[in-house]
Structure formats: C-alpha cells, structure tokens
C-alpha cells in the first residue's frame, strides 16, 4: 500500500510559527465544518468538543446553514476574525475558494489547523486528514471482490472538483481497471447529499435494468442509494465512505456492504489537540494522514461505539496513527 511521505517525515512544527499569547488553559477554539447534513461532520465536531473538554478548553462551532456555502463560510470568517478566538480548526467548504479567507485569518495572527480537506493555500500549524485515494481504492476492491470481479457498476460522486471526491473516485476507477470483468455504467455526482444521491440512483435504475454494485463517495449518498433500491424493490451491493453511525447500522442490518473509515472523530480530536498544543508552546505534528480501514460485517464492532463514549487519542498515539 502506498505510504504518505509527508506523514513519514513527521516533522515537528514549533508553535513559534505564530505569535500567540501563552495560556495555561481556558482557550477558545473556533471549529469550522462544512454542513449539518453530512453525519461525518457531526463526528468531527464531537471529537473537537471531546478534546477541548479534556484539555480544559472550549469550542465555538461555525457551520454554514446552507450546506457547503462559500459565501456563508466567508462571512463566518469575517465574524471569527472580529471575535478573535485563541485558535481555529478549519475545514474549507471549497479548497480553492476559501484561500482568501484563510489569508484573512493569517493576517489576523490567529493560529489555524487545517483538517479533512487540504486547503490550496494559506498558512497552517498542521494538517489532519485521511488518504482519500486509498479509501476509494480499498473499498472498491472489497466490493469487486465480493462480486467476483465482475458486474455492472455505478459510481455516485461527491462534489465535482473537491479534493476528496477527485481522490476517492480515482481510487474507485483504479480498482475497476484491475477488474476487466466489471463494467462501469455511469459516474454521476450526488454532491455528498443523501437526497440527491437517492434521486441519482432512481434515474440510473430507470436507464439500467441491471446494476450489481454501487460505489458511493460517502455514507450519506450510500444510504440514499439504498433507499432508492429499496423503493424500486431492487438489490445491489453498496459501499460508502466515512464510517458514520448510520453506515455502521446499515452494515449491521446487511443493507450496506462496507464503508471506508474516514475517522472524523479522530480528525476533530487531533485538529483541536494540535491547536491547543501550539497555544501552550508544545510541539505539534505538522501532518497526520490517517490510514484507511474497510469496515465490514466482520470487523464493525470497534466502530460501533456511541460518539459520546469515544476517547480521543493521546499525542503519543497520534504520532502512530498515520502509519500504514
């Protein structure tokens, strides 16, 4: 499996990169996520809250009311620059369009950690994310192995042009290339939204009498595809990505074949940890790319833990989490 060179180097970045006031505790960490519709981001927020509580800090959540709204997140950045929290944990709704916003944060001298979607520009203390290509490749390989390397396949993509979508779909397609007996019928966007994926799947079923496998770029869309299949009384093997609670429940019930663990809880924990450690002038890890795990009916148990009962990793554990 390909390794991430950026992680293997494990460079330590000292907090001196930003001129910040040193505090013992009580910091306020502003956490930016992309929407309230994708359950993945709820796991990120809970992870951030958990770590902040553990370190005697607090969070201030910024969530666009319209999913993935660029104007709204830019407006929220204007607000956070005025409020000037101790630090920011930031997921851009668009990795290119939000660069001017990140630069405003940098100009305001507010330390910022980038999580989930890697920003195309700006200065960050650290990046915490997952290997989207490997998640796409490994989950698609599992689906195709289950289908015996053949069958009619459809891909439901996320937001066109987003880094997570580009890398996950590239992984899907590379797995398909490894299985010449499989036929890709269509690859259409569902924009990471459950309802849109349901509608895409309904349309795909009208034009294709036989669909054997569905590769969905996130769990919300996988669930939408399953609802469409159920509505039409049709069967197909479906995989998603993110490892959300609804995905685990669907795996347990046999509705969903598998999900790739994107580990939003750990991303929220670690992003907040690095922000607080930098404020306290402790070393931080410049980059952690979490290793992929394909969650199936045979290994879902460790992932079937309520969010409120999960425990954030320690700094020592964090330094090992990206190892593949």
């Amino acid at each position: 499996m390909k390794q991430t060179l950026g992680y293997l180097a494990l460079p330590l970045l000292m907090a001196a990169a930003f001129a910040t006031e040193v505090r013992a505790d009580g910091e306020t960490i502003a956490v930016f996520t992309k929407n309230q519709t994708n359950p993945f981001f709820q796991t990120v927020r809970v992870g951030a809250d958990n770590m902040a509580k553990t370190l005697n800090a607090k969070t201030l959540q910024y969530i666009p009311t319209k999913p993935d709204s660029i104007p709204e997140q830019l407006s929220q950045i204007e607000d956070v620059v005025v409020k000037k929290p101790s630090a920011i944990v930031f997921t851009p709704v668009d990795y290119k369009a939000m660069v001017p916003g990140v630069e405003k944060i940098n100009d305001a001298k507010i330390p910022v950690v980038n999580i989930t979607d890697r920003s195309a520009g700006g200065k960050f203390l650290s990046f915490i994310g997952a290997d989207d290509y490997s998640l796409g490749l490994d989950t698609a390989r599992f689906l195709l192995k289950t289908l015996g390397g053949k069958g009619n396949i459809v891909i439901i993509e996320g937001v066109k042009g987003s880094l997570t979508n580009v890398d996950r779909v590239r992984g899907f397609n590379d797995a398909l290339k490894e299985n010449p007996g499989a036929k890709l019928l269509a690859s259409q966007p569902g924009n990471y939204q459950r309802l849109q994926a349901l509608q895409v799947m309904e349309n795909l079923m009208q034009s294709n009498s036989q669909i054997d496998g569905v590769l969905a770029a996130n769990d919300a869309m996988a669930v939408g595809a399953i609802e469409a299949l159920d509505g039409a009384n049709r069967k197909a093997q479906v995989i998603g990505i993110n490892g959300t609670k609804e995905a685990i429940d669907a795996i347990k019930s046999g509705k969903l074949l598998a999900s790739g663990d994107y580990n939003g809880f750990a991303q929220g924990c670690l992003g907040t940890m690095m922000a607080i450690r930098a404020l306290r002038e402790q070393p931080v890890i410049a980059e952690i790319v979490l290793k992929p795990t394909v969650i199936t009916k045979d290994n879902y148990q460790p992932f079937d833990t309520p969010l409120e009962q999960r425990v954030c990793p320690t700094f020592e554990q964090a330094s090992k989490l990206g190892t593949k």
Side-chain angles (χ1 to χ4, degrees), residues 35-301:
N35 57 62
Q36 300 189 63
T37 55
N38 186 342
F40 167 78
F41 290 109
Q42 177 61 15
T43 69
V44 173
R45 292 188 283 269
V46 173
D49 290 345
N50 187 309
M51 180 55 74
K53 184 178 180 181
T54 299
L55 297 178
N56 197 27
K58 58 185 178 182
T59 60
L60 183 63
Q61 301 287 350
Y62 281 87
I63 313 166
T65 55
K66 181 181 178 182
D68 298 26
S69 169
I70 292 172
E72 194 169 350
Q73 192 172 70
L74 284 171
S75 175
Q76 290 178 335
I77 287 174
E78 298 282 353
D79 180 73
V80 84
V81 166
V82 172
K83 291 183 177 175
K84 209 170 178 60
S86 309
I88 295 172
V89 174
F90 188 74
T91 304
V93 297
D94 183 292
Y95 77 106
K96 290 182 180 177
M98 297 313 300
V99 170
V102 175
E103 290 172 344
K104 285 186 179 180
I105 294 170
N106 293 156
D107 290 344
K109 307 297 183 187
I110 304 172
V112 55
V113 174
N114 184 196
I115 65 168
T116 307
D117 287 35
R118 195 187 296 268
S119 173
K123 298 176 183 177
F124 294 94
L125 291 167
S126 178
F127 172 76
I128 312 293
D131 185 341
D132 287 290
Y133 172 77
S134 293
L135 282 165
L137 182 68
D138 290 358
T139 51
R141 280 175 170 168
F142 185 79
L143 172 83
L144 292 163
K145 182 179 179 181
T146 302
L147 294 175
K150 58 186 180 182
N152 292 331
I153 310 296
V154 298
I155 294 175
I156 303 181
E157 301 187 25
V159 176
K160 285 280 190 182
S162 69
L163 280 181
T164 53
N165 184 63
V166 169
D167 287 346
R168 290 176 186 185
V169 172
R170 184 163 58 89
F172 288 162
N173 283 308
D174 282 354
L176 286 165
K177 291 175 185 174
E178 296 172 351
N179 294 269
K183 180 181 180 182
L184 179 62
L185 299 176
S187 185
Q188 297 184 6
N191 294 320
Y192 289 135
Q193 301 297 315
R194 180 173 177 161
L195 179 58
Q196 290 185 39
L198 184 152
Q199 294 166 340
V200 167
M201 192 67 198
E202 288 177 338
N203 292 334
L204 289 171
M205 286 190 295
Q206 288 179 2
S207 54
N208 297 281
S209 59
Q210 181 65 41
I211 296 175
D212 303 297
V214 180
L215 296 164
N218 79 349
D219 289 335
M221 297 194 299
V223 172
I226 290 170
E227 290 172 341
L229 286 162
D230 287 347
N233 197 27
R234 286 174 61 168
K235 301 290 184 184
Q237 297 285 4
V238 181
I239 67 99
I241 291 177
N242 280 351
T244 60
K245 181 182 184 304
E246 64 179 351
I248 302 303
D249 290 343
I251 290 170
K252 289 164 62 179
S253 68
K255 291 281 189 180
L256 184 68
L257 178 65
S259 177
D261 179 29
Y262 199 46
N263 211 333
F265 182 79
Q267 291 190 35
C269 290
L270 297 175
T272 304
M273 174 197 288
M274 298 309 159
I276 295 172
R277 286 181 65 88
L279 291 168
R280 298 179 185 180
E281 295 192 344
Q282 298 170 322
V284 302
I285 301 170
E287 179 170 309
I288 298 177
V289 178
L290 300 167
K291 64 181 180 180
T293 299
V294 180
I295 307 169
T296 73
K297 63 180 176 59
D298 295 324
N299 69 350
Y300 73 82
Q301 289 86 355

